[in-house]
């Protein structure tokens, strides 16, 4: 079970959280101005990287806040967690141990 | 006491005699024995039959690595555990154990014919033999194989024992309480941090428990020091079975299995889920068997195990002993046995130049033959001789013995390290995989990383423990592996009947065959032969498999790699994993405040998610259909009352509340006046219906939003998502009030008459309180929110009162309704009433691919709104047009025929299979009000098909149905006003 | 005036487990509200409530019989003997929602209270990690609770009413092993 550092509550076990998919995909301000292709890309296209991935979590069984995290999808270790609205931090994965 | 028990010594209490039973025969052992040591002391060497060939098997090891001596342990009919290792069962008074996999008896076993047929049963036998004809697999082959194979039998009664879980945290977890682990725990505890020390054995000490005398004082003092430290938690009888992400470990603690009469308040097991900052793995090493023909005969045992039986349990493995070894450590066993009075006939050492210890053995009068290989063994149910041959070649010599001790060297127990995704490297000097790069905040110490000497292991443990407590990066000292040992088949030994995996009956010949038949990857070899796949997970066999495969593939072991180490290290009970999650505590059973009244009224309940909802209220002798028919007719004719408390409710409050709802829901909310409510549809961003419910405006900045029962949590989460991440600037907040309110629906032409006397401070007349009105008032003496809504098509009210008052208000309504013959009704009647009106249930009539228009509620969509969740998707071409499935009604020719929900719809029931499917029945009931069955369905281009006939193919023939509008009752809505 | 005799609180039927290593008891009846308000108005909201709103994450503040529990950065659970008067906050955007019937509380106390909670709660309940005055939403096994440590050996546990039988049943079962 992952240990996740909620930006508000600190480190908590994964069981308190819900995953929320990829982060930094803002809902378009004017969806009606978008083509079907653009809209489909917003709805469905995700990066699915091997390596660092910015993703959303919600501390559902905690403060209830959505927040963002950068996680290394290879090692499952988090590089950073930060509040919604803050930019993705420019970080390389920490070395473990 | 039998002749194999020594006169003195060991960690047993000879004054406490324990009676126990094996296959019904009575024996005695002593306190401190394991079942294996007690059986060996009694001369019981034959403990089971093997899995495939039914060969006689005895004790090989002395710990949890035991592959052979697995038995069925029985306390009573419900407490019967198959496949338990006799070497790990602590003896208690009255213990009952039976051997497994034999018929009619252990000594005379019919299945042993398989051993004679073994040339016909090679690796891959099942795959080759049972593949044709395909239809025989399920009917013939699988039942036959299942009957013939397998080990113990699971009990059929529910497990009466209790199992508890425990979450825990510490700074340092030390796994293994041998010399390295104890030293690590001492060092970490010295630093003042929280330490947990776990060991699978009943006593701490690890390999020290097998030492004769020296070190016992250190051991006792170490344990006492740790026990006196309040920051240290000591967990004996606790197996660290899993190492999970971010330094989470799973530990299974056996609390009462060793007790003859477990106290009732104690659980049988405790499952620890422990999160720590640093882990020290001190899991020791496992001795490898030697691979030679008939190496599975009872009486052939690991040399280290023999030393344990002697020094810990006071049991001799035999009286005339041959030792075959590839390492120094077996000499220790020979010397200790010699000192205990056993006749050690010969030590056959594979190496040309053993260490100084060989001289020590010779000095003690033990013959040592170097460069000598054990190439076979004889005896029927017990070893009678060992065949020794020079490595250089030459005829084997049969040396008589009643115990053959073997040591192929020591395999570091890297299981947990590897589970944690740590990378292993093959160390040629050690002939072993050793921990290389850690993935977690972890360090290995002692024999599990190839540090074998006692003092070295202690020092290694202390350094690891101190560094773990500090949390600083740690570079362990270079390990100097001693005595590489041997991997694979012994030199000059035939591969036939030379067992590698004792439990799954895999021989060196099978491995070679697998390679010959094209298996190259070790993962394929493993699956083809099943080596390492038994309940012991290959603890004693995996490295020998690699040794044989390496020779057969002509590849080095690092080139071959290794199979994946997976949890659990040793088997874990289902009970332990389940914990309290069974019976009433399997999951929350949610009940409304009105539930007790319904239960007293005889309601039958149904599960709706975690909720128990009253399904129907049968009177004496009524079944579901009779009760529902009566309830439906009563609502249509007079009045009924319904507990709707489980409806999800969200209080949306703030100056931007209406704007927020405008963005979320398809409907328009700005113009909804205070005191009015509206049926709302919530779509997902993909345009499909997510949820629905009535939304009432309580104040300019306060809405009372209802959701479906099942959608409550998900809808709130979705709303929070948009609010927090897309529109954080909106001044609006969401609070779940699902459980704040008890909700009672009063439906029927007499509804107003029933509640009017109960309402204070509100005119509920038709004119002043019209359909879709909402108001706060006092109801039956308590504060309430009253909605004028109808999910039945009749005049209806839904009264919300604070939940603690729910039952009192329900009783007040019931009393007020008695003059009108008010009927309490359940969810089934609610469903029939709404289906008669064509009101959808999201999730039943919709399935996540229905737009509001598909579901017949397109009228709710505010098309003039610039945007709302799902609007852009609804504008896609594919979301409209004749390809869409649309909600329709269906009528059968026979009014009594009730279609099956989920049944498919087709145009031509005689077309070839697979048919072209046009949709399916979503809701289907018998309507007592209408006197015929009704159904709702989602049908391709359904609204254009109204008046047409489609067909429902069923096993007994197709049913023709007429497509109609999905409103069966009062299509004009005339009854809404009573 | 509301007829209190009509109330049936969800914990009326609580049967405490044996022994005194872990003691389960309903907390006295109280009013409960969820307050949501932006930072600018937090001081004013605290004054209206009659007790300060803690701004440190996961901390509770008490003022006499009033308690404000931080549940989120703009969310507090207010527990008080009676309904607070928030008319002073008129015009200030906020949300005050009565949850006095949505949930109820029990105290879990005794020398093994933390161990009993840890049968189902995954948090570190060592006093250094979860000191007196700390509060948070978390879980007991399969349900959400609010956990508030009010004394070294006393926890206040809040759960929604329909989950209380499960929470109490779970904790009672957990207490059994300490009753010997």
């Amino acid at each position: 079970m992952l240990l996740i550092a909620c930006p508000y509550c600190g480190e908590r076990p994964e069981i308190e959280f819900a995953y929320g998919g990829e982060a930094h995909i803002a809902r378009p301000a004017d969806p009606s101005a978008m083509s079907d292709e653009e809209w489909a890309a917003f709805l469905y296209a995700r990066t699915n990287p091997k390596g660092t991935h910015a993703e959303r979590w919600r501390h559902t069984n905690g403060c209830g806040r959505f927040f963002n995290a950068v996680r290394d999808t290879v090692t499952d270790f988090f590089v950073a967690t930060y509040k919604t609205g803050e930019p993705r931090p420019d970080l390389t994965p920490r070395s473990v141990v | 006491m039998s002749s194999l028990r020594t006169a003195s010594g060991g960690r047993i209490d000879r004054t406490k005699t324990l009676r126990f039973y094996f296959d019904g025969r009575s024996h005695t052992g002593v306190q401190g024995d394991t079942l294996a040591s007690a059986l060996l002391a009694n001369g019981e060497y034959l403990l089971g039959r093997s899995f495939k060939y039914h060969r006689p098997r005895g004790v090989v090891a002395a710990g949890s690595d035991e592959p052979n001596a697995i038995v069925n342990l029985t306390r009573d009919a419900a407490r019967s555990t198959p496949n338990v290792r006799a070497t790990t069962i602590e003896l208690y008074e009255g213990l009952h154990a039976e051997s497994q996999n034999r018929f009619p008896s252990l000594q005379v076993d019919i299945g042993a014919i398989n051993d004679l047929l073994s040339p016909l049963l090679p690796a891959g036998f099942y795959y080759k033999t049972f593949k044709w004809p395909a239809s025989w697999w399920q009917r013939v082959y699988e039942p036959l194989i299942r009957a013939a194979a397998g080990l113990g039998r699971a009990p059929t009664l529910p497990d009466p024992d209790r199992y508890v879980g425990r979450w825990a945290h510490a700074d340092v977890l030390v796994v293994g309480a041998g010399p390295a682990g104890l030293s690590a725990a001492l060092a970490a505890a010295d630093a003042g941090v929280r330490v947990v020390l776990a060991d699978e054995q009943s006593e701490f000490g690890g390999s020290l428990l097998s030492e004769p005398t020296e070190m016992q004082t250190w051991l006792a003092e170490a344990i006492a020091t740790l026990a006196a430290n309040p920051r240290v938690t000591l967990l004996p009888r606790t197996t660290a079975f899993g190492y999970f992400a971010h330094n989470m470990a799973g530990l299974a603690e056996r609390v009462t299995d060793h007790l003859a009469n477990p106290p009732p308040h104690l659980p049988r097991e405790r499952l620890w889920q422990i999160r720590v900052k640093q882990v020290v793995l001190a899991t020791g090493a496992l001795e490898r068997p030697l691979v030679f023909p008939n190496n599975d005969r009872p009486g052939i045992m690991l040399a280290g195990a023999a030393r344990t039986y002697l020094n810990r349990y006071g049991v001799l493995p035999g009286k005339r002993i041959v030792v075959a070894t590839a390492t120094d450590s077996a000499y220790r066993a020979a010397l200790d046995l010699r000192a205990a009075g056993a006749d050690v006939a010969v030590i056959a050492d594979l190496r040309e130049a053993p260490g100084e210890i060989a001289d020590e053995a010779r000095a003690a009068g033990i013959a040592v033959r170097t460069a000598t290989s054990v190439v076979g063994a004889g005896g029927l149910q017990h070893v009678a001789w060992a065949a020794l041959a020079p490595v250089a070649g030459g005829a084997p010599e049969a040396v008589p013995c009643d115990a053959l001790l073997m040591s192929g060297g020591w395999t570091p127990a890297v299981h947990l390290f590897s589970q944690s995704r740590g990378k292993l490297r093959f160390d040629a000097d050690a002939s072993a995989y050793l921990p290389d790069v850690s993935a977690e905040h972890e360090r290995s110490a002692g024999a599990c990383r190839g540090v074998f000497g006692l003092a070295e292991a202690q020092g290694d443990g202390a350094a690891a423990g101190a560094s773990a407590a500090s949390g600083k990066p740690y570079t362990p000292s270079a390990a100097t592996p001693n005595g590489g040992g041997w991997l694979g088949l012994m030199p000059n030994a035939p591969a036939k009947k030379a067992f590698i995996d004792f439990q799954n009956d895999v021989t060196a010949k099978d491995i070679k065959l697998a390679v010959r038949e094209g298996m190259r990857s070790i993962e394929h070899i493993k699956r083809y032969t099943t080596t390492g796949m038994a309940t012991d997970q290959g603890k004693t066999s995996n490295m020998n498999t690699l040794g044989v495969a390496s020779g057969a593939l002509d590849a080095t072991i690092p080139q071959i790699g290794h199979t994946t180490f997976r949890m659990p290290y040793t088997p874990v009970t289902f009970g332990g994993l389940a914990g309290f999650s069974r019976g009433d505590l399997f999951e929350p059973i949610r009940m409304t405040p009105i539930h007790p009244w319904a239960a007293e009224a005889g309601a039958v309940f149904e599960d709706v998610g975690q909720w128990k909802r009253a399904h129907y209220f049968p009177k004496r002798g009524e079944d579901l259909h009779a009760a529902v028919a009566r309830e439906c007719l009563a609502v249509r004719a007079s009045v009924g009352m319904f507990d709707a408390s489980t409806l999800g409710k969200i209080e949306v409050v703030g100056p931007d509340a209406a704007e927020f709802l405008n963005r979320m829901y398809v409907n328009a909310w700005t113009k909804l006046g205070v005191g009015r409510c509206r049926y709302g549809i919530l779509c997902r961003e993909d345009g499909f219906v997510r949820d629905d419910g009535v939304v009432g405006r309580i104040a300019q900045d306060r809405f009372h939003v209802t959701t479906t029962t099942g959608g409550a949590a998900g809808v709130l989460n979705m709303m929070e998502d948009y609010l927090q991440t897309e529109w954080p600037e909106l001044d609006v907040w969401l609070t779940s009030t699902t459980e704040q309110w008890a909700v009672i629906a009063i439906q029927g032409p007499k509804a107003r008459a029933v509640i009017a006397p109960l309402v204070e401070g509100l005119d509920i007349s038709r004119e002043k309180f019209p359909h879709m009105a909402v108001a706060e008032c006092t109801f039956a003496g308590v504060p309430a929110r009253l909605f004028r809504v109808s999910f039945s098509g009749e005049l209806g009210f839904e009264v919300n009162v604070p939940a603690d008052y729910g039952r009192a208000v329900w009783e007040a309504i019931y009393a007020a309704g008695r003059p009108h013959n008010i009927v309490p009704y359940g969810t089934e009647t609610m469903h029939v009433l709404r289906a008669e009106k064509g009101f959808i249930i999201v999730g039943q009539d919709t399935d996540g691919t229905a737009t509001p228009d598909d579901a017949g509620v397109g009228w709710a969509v505010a098309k003039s709104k610039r945007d709302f969740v799902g609007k852009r998707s609804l504008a896609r071409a594919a979301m409209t047009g004749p390809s869409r499935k649309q909600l329709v009604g269906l009528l059968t020719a026979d009014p009594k025929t009730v279609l099956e929900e989920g049944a498919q719809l087709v145009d031509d029931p005689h077309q070839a299979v697979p048919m072209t499917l046009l949709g399916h029945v979503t809701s289907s009931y018998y309507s007592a009000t209408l006197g015929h069955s009704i159904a709702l369905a989602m049908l391709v281009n359904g609204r254009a098909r109204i008046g047409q006939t489609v067909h429902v193919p069923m096993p007994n023939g197709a049913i023709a149905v007429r497509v109609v509008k999905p409103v069966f009752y009062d299509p004009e809505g005339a009854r809404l006003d009573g | 005036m509301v007829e209190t005799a009509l109330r049936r609180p969800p914990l009326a039927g609580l049967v405490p487990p044996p022994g005194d290593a872990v003691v389960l008891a309903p907390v006295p009846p109280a009013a409960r509200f969820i307050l949501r308000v932006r930072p600018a108005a937090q001081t004013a909201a605290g004054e209206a409530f009659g007790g300060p709103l803690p701004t440190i994450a996961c901390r509770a503040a008490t003022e006499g019989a009033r308690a404000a529990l931080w549940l989120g950065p703009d969310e507090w659970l207010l527990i008080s003997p009676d309904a607070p008067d928030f008319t002073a906050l008129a015009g200030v955007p906020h949300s005050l929602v009565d949850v006095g019937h949505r949930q109820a509380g029990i105290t879990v106390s005794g020398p093994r209270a933390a161990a009993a909670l840890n049968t189902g709660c995954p948090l570190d309940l060592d006093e250094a990690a979860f000191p007196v005055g700390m509060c948070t939403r978390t879980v007991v096994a399969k349900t959400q609770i609010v956990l508030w440590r009010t004394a070294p050996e006393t926890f206040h546990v809040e759960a929604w009413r329909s989950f209380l039988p499960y929470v109490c049943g779970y904790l009672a079962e957990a207490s059994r092993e300490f009753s010997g």
Side-chain angles (χ1 to χ4, degrees), chain B residues 840-869:
Chain B
I840 59 165
I841 300 268
V842 171
Q844 174 166 344
D845 300 297
T846 67
D847 63 359
T849 65
T851 67
D853 185 61
D854 296 342
V857 289
W859 52 265
V861 179
K863 297 179 179 62
S864 60
K865 278 201 299 185
R866 190 182 69 85
D867 190 14
F868 58 82
V869 173

Side-chain angles (χ1 to χ4, degrees), chain B residues 517-564:
Chain B
E517 297 195 345
M519 310 300 148
R520 290 294 175 270
S521 159
I522 191 66
E523 298 284 0
H524 290 158
I525 292 170
K526 166 181 163 176
R527 282 159 183 78
Y528 195 62
T529 61
T530 73
T531 187
M533 290 168 66
T535 66
D536 65 335
Q537 290 283 290
K539 287 185 180 60
T540 52
S541 61
N542 281 344
M543 289 309 294
N544 279 329
T545 299
L546 286 175
V548 174
S550 168
L553 284 164
D554 196 20
T556 65
I557 285 176
Q559 284 172 325
I560 298 174
H562 57 81
T563 56
T564 310

Side-chain angles (χ1 to χ4, degrees), chain B residues 162 165-167 169 194 265 270 586 590 702 728 730-731 733-734 736 739-740 802-805, chain C residues 2 7-8 36 38 74 96 98-102 118-119 122 124 142 160-163 173 176-177:
Chain B
R162 297 174 62 242
R166 180 78 68 80
W167 299 87
H169 294 74
R194 276 194 290 172
H265 71 279
R270 189 179 289 118
F586 175 70
R590 304 178 70 182
R702 184 176 290 253
L730 292 184
D731 270 328
W733 293 273
L734 316 171
S736 172
E739 299 229 38
Q740 171 69 12
D804 282 359
Y805 302 121
Chain C
V2 165
R7 285 190 76 154
R8 279 189 180 76
R36 307 290 299 273
R38 291 189 187 274
D74 67 349
L96 186 71
D98 185 348
V99 294
H101 292 243
R102 180 182 80 170
N118 270 144
T119 58
D124 186 353
K142 297 181 181 175
W160 290 7
R161 60 185 305 127
S162 72
F163 292 106
E173 184 71 6
R176 272 179 64 183
E177 68 167 307

Side-chain angles (χ1 to χ4, degrees), chain A residues 63-74:
Chain A
C63 63
R65 298 299 92 187
F66 280 85
F67 61 91
N68 295 332
V70 178
R71 181 175 56 95
D72 188 325
T73 59
V74 177

Side-chain angles (χ1 to χ4, degrees), chain B residues 12 14 27 49 57 109 160 165 178 221 245 279 283 339 379 388 527 619 754 813 860 871 898 931:
Chain B
I12 50 174
R14 291 161 199 263
H27 294 292
R49 290 276 175 173
R57 292 286 166 83
D109 171 39
E221 283 174 0
V279 170
T283 47
L388 307 178
R527 282 159 183 78
K619 292 193 165 177
V754 170
I813 296 168
K871 180 178 171 76
V898 179

